[in-house]
Amino acid sequence: MSSPNGTPTKITQGSKTKGGIGESTLRPDGTLKVTGEFAYSSDMWHEDMLWGQILRSPVAHAEIVSIDTSEALALPGVYAVMTYDDLPTAVKNYGLEIQDTPVLAHGKVRHHGEPVAIVAADHPETARRAAAKIKVEYRELPVITDEASATAPDAILVHEGRDDHHVGHVPHPNIVHRQPIIRGDVQEASKKADFVIKGEYTFGMQDQAFLGPESGLAVPDEDGGVHLYIATQWLHSDLRQIAPVLGLPERKVRMTLSGVGGAFGGREDLSMQIHACLLALRTGKPVKIVYNRFESFFGHVHRHPAKLYYEHGATREGKLTHVKCRIVLDGGAYASASPAVVGNAASLGIGPYVVDDVEIEALALYTNNPPCGAMRGFGAVQACFAYEAQMDKLADAVGMDRVEFRQLNAMEQGTIMPTGQPVDSPAPVAELLRRVKAMPLPPEQQWLAAGEEADVRQLPGGLSNTTHGEGVVRGVGYAVGIKNVGFSEGFDDYSTAKVRMEVVGGEPVATVHTAMAEVGQGGVTVHAQIARTELGVAQVTIRPADTQVGSAGSTSASRQTYVTGGAVKNSCELVREKVLELGRRKFGSYHPAWATAELLLEGGKVVTDGGEVLADLVDVLEGESVEVEAEWRHRPTEPFDLRTGQGFGHVQYSFAAHRAVVEVDTELGLVKVIELACAQDVGKALNPLSVIGQIQGGTTQGLGVAVMEEIIVDPKTAKVRNPSFTDYLIPTILDTPTIPVDMLELADDHAPYGLRGVGEAPTLSSTPAVLAAIRNATGLELNRTPVRPEHLTGT
């Protein structure tokens, strides 16, 4: 692991107490969620509460000529209607990095569905009716929807008068951020290439599609503040953005995490948080806002759609000579996390391969399309889709097996990234490919039931009964990806944990308190396992996450087990030393081992490293309690140079490889994914069951964007055409294939317990593996996601 200041220290085994790290302990919230008893943020209730509603723009780009709220205010049951002019302070914008997003639209709207006004009423239907009575006159403006319209010399500016810190290094004000990465000499290296492959790829806009829509409850406090109960990914980031708009000090904006029904990046940005607080403070009553599914498609950011242009070269022997690529991400109307997504796409743009000569350009656009930001694997997902397609094409040109070609060029520990950063932990790319290729293939024609009759449930099209096996062809494809772990490019990435140890009911109990957002990843389980391991107690209480403890950072970037787990471990170690010091003062004079041996806490006792019991923890803690609140930081990173892209930008990398097996009805253009086998290095599986669940979940999201998921935006009007789960399709259990997982555990000496973030890497490689398998079955080029039937049939 790393110590709090980031310097490497020895990895210790810790306690052998049951339920510690390395065990597949069950989640405390699992049964409640399965039975429907778990309380999500949308289930919250408060006596005498009001209901909030948001009026959204029906057009993507327009001047606001006038707003008339009189009819809405006159409706019985309405307590408040607010527009931009009613905001209480001079701070009227917010944002993760660039504060360019207005709380309520002012002067113009920049995307379809932008909030224009908010209403509070005594019934949700009354609030909806009142919002519908607000009269807004718009004067529509031309829309910016792609790179050509965004960067034309006479292009309309999405944001006039930009003054953020990125504007000085972008070639056009409609470019949010641009990051080049240059290493070696691509032009000279290309002369050594016997084969050069070029490709243009299109990646569709994916929605996080979490099952629990945006919701929260704001309760005004007696001191003039407000208490917000909210489903989010980062309590303290929300707090930092909310308090200035309300005109309150942060201590008067209290935030408690409520049940989160999934996140995947879509809850990093604010949605209804400020609106609920504004209405609660205006009315003096609790205000609850719950989006419906239609609203949810407009209420959070999505995955950036992208255009990717690649050139790869290789020698006759199969060694890569150079890679040149340009990645254009559509950030939509507001910045959100676009700068970080650009940094990831650029720095990870060539994949987990050794290439000495690289020229990369990545950029994100401002357009009038829906805002895009964080989503699982952001930036790296789009790049992986393109570079893995290129690797297949190049292997075919060279005449090599596609997996062997990847293994020949695979990075390993010690490889220098295009950013100049050495990979200083295990990078078993070739081994992961070997493992996933060695897995047994599923049997052919498993859709044949007894008597040679086709079981249509196992065929492309499923229960639609469209085929009985005619024209069905099998394909197999491989892909591998690289993803960074944790915040990067000089961000001060830290977390805080408060740990208390005391005697409750006659036994020692540890209490862990962090602000970590539990969004379904299982962090609350891991924190209890760490406390049991380090403190040797059976009973661990996890307090609800809130802002009464220091920040835990965002539940994103596969960082929470690494960073907040590191903070819990650090705090537990400090508590352990204080407990042992108590024991030394009480009992040390009776036994010399107190002073000389390395003492451990196991099973509620103090023991020597040889297993000799010195005291019960109950006796040590009698009449005492020990509490520590401490931060933990991983080693520092640095920003990428804005001209060359060089820099120690990432703290850790994770790797996953997939093999996809598909069956395609080539006549109807239907695809059935039979299997998505995965091999992944997880460093150390703190909870193997949860790790496998994360890998399978990430794999399934990659499958979705491969064959069905895409938000369709009209290129002429920039309006969303499919904001519902009727028209935006996500994989169901009938679409989800068998997902066998082979976990490799190669410890990263810089990380707590040697662990490696796991949640995002499988989302990268599953998508290109499915596309590769479909190409293998059909012989088609297929350079876009998702693949639709018309792409396979030519209709």
Side-chain angles (χ1 to χ4, degrees), residues 168-185:
H169 67 264
V170 294
H172 192 284
N174 281 339
I175 296 175
V176 184
H177 177 49
R178 175 182 177 270
Q179 180 64 66
I181 294 181
I182 300 170
R183 184 164 177 261
D185 188 334

Side-chain angles (χ1 to χ4, degrees), residues 385-440:
F385 167 66
Y387 65 65
E388 283 301 274
Q390 286 285 104
M391 292 296 284
D392 278 346
K393 294 175 184 178
L394 198 51
D396 292 348
V398 173
M400 288 184 66
D401 175 85
R402 293 176 172 183
V403 172
E404 292 177 2
F405 178 69
R406 286 175 168 83
Q407 290 175 311
L408 177 66
N409 292 284
M411 68 164 49
E412 57 189 13
Q413 187 166 353
T415 293
I416 305 299
M417 295 289 289
T419 59
Q421 177 179 343
V423 178
D424 58 3
S425 61
V429 178
E431 173 64 11
L432 293 175
L433 286 162
R434 185 196 67 77
R435 285 173 175 245
V436 80
K437 188 175 183 180
M439 289 186 186

Side-chain angles (χ1 to χ4, degrees), residues 642-663:
L642 292 175
R643 294 180 300 104
T644 65
Q646 301 302 289
F648 192 98
H650 299 306
V651 71
Q652 189 187 63
Y653 298 100
S654 60
F655 307 90
H658 277 90
R659 181 190 66 201
V661 180
V662 306
E663 289 178 348

Side-chain angles (χ1 to χ4, degrees), residues 543-720:
R543 282 193 55 184
D546 57 32
T547 51
Q548 304 308 301
V549 65
S551 177
S554 174
T555 300
S556 60
S558 304
R559 63 177 289 282
Q560 279 293 7
T561 301
Y562 190 127
V563 182
T564 303
V568 173
K569 185 177 190 296
N570 183 43
S571 294
C572 285
E573 289 171 343
L574 296 172
V575 165
R576 184 175 66 219
E577 288 307 311
K578 289 194 172 187
V579 169
L580 290 174
E581 184 57 35
L582 278 175
R584 290 186 180 98
R585 292 204 304 266
K586 288 185 177 182
F587 307 111
S589 60
Y590 303 108
H591 200 302
W594 278 101
T596 60
E598 180 179 348
L599 302 184
L600 304 173
L601 306 184
E602 289 185 357
K605 301 180 185 301
V606 181
V607 300
T608 66
D609 53 3
E612 182 181 1
V613 176
L614 298 184
D616 286 335
L617 281 175
V618 172
D619 295 328
V620 174
L621 289 166
E622 184 179 10
E624 304 272 3
S625 65
V626 175
E627 183 176 273
V628 171
E629 180 175 346
E631 294 178 348
W632 190 90
R633 282 171 166 80
H634 64 58
R635 54 192 174 146
T637 59
E638 62 189 24
F640 297 126
D641 185 273
L642 292 175
R643 294 180 300 104
T644 65
Q646 301 302 289
F648 192 98
H650 299 306
V651 71
Q652 189 187 63
Y653 298 100
S654 60
F655 307 90
H658 277 90
R659 181 190 66 201
V661 180
V662 306
E663 289 178 348
V664 183
D665 186 317
T666 56
E667 298 174 0
L668 299 176
L670 300 176
V671 177
K672 174 74 172 180
V673 181
I674 304 299
E675 182 187 82
L676 261 172
C678 181
Q680 183 167 338
D681 174 23
V682 303
K684 169 66 178 176
L686 269 60
N687 187 313
L689 184 63
S690 289
V691 168
I692 291 172
Q694 284 290 300
I695 294 172
Q696 292 177 333
T699 296
T700 303
Q701 283 191 306
L703 160 68
V705 78
V707 295
M708 60 182 67
E709 294 189 49
E710 183 177 15
I711 292 179
I712 306 297
V713 180
D714 189 310
K716 295 182 179 179
T717 64
K719 290 186 178 181
V720 178

Side-chain angles (χ1 to χ4, degrees), residues 52-60 64 67 82 94 101-105 109-119 127-128 130-136 138 213-215 270-273 275 289-302 334 370-371 719-720 723:
Q53 182 66 43
I54 299 167
L55 176 69
R56 299 181 180 275
S57 166
V59 295
I64 299 175
I67 302 177
M82 298 181 72
Y94 64 90
T101 308
V103 174
L104 294 168
V109 293
R110 294 179 174 86
H111 71 91
H112 182 205
E114 180 163 351
V116 176
I118 51 177
V119 175
R128 284 190 285 270
K133 288 182 177 292
I134 299 173
K135 297 177 181 178
V136 184
Y138 298 98
E214 294 82 346
S215 53
L270 299 182
S271 56
M272 43 61 63
Q273 286 94 320
H275 298 149
I289 297 180
V290 180
Y291 288 180
N292 59 32
R293 183 58 58 182
F294 175 85
E295 275 190 290
S296 183
F297 272 91
F298 299 102
H300 64 260
V301 298
H302 313 289
Y334 297 106
K719 290 186 178 181
V720 178

